[in-house]
Amino acid sequence: QVELVESGGGSVQSGGSLRLSCAASKYSFSDLSDSRYCMGWLRQAPGKEREVVAHIDRSGITRYVDSVKGRFTISRDGTKKNIYLQMNSLKPGDTATYYCAATDNCDDLGRFGYWGQGTQVTVFS
């Protein structure tokens, strides 16, 4: 069992920044095979499908959805159990509920594995 808790959401004016944090607890590497490990951020806006925003794998390789490249940065701490999403140059289109997620395979992020309760990000113009 893995528990993921997000924090750092809020309301910000267009062009502003926010930093999301995710803390993984009740977490043992036996829950997710240490040889395959992926954590990341999903988001879902009202009336839209959930999408993977960014993820980071065991090797530290990161991937981003095209719409956030150059604006968002995913990172993690040395324990690999806490990840962050630095969001700069925010746009109204970034408004959504953001979820932290963890799974064995980055291709499965958001479909299988674990995710948190979400934190709301609202960007106003």
Side-chain angles (χ1 to χ4, degrees), residues 51-122:
E51 67 173 349
V52 177
V53 177
H55 60 69
I56 183 167
D57 70 10
R58 182 177 183 270
S59 300
I61 295 173
T62 59
R63 293 287 187 268
Y64 299 90
V65 67
D66 285 346
S67 60
V68 308
K69 286 180 180 177
R71 301 188 297 121
F72 291 11
T73 302
I74 188 170
S75 61
R76 67 184 180 200
D77 68 4
T79 69
K80 299 183 182 178
K81 296 180 181 181
N82 300 299
I83 64 169
Y84 310 94
L85 187 68
Q86 179 66 43
M87 304 185 294
N88 298 328
S89 301
L90 282 161
K91 305 175 181 179
D94 296 316
T95 295
T97 301
Y98 285 70
Y99 300 88
C100 177
T103 189
D104 273 359
N105 187 329
C106 284
D107 290 338
D108 292 332
L109 196 70
R111 296 189 297 125
F112 303 105
Y114 305 93
W115 45 88
Q117 294 298 308
T119 185
Q120 179 66 35
V121 171
T122 302

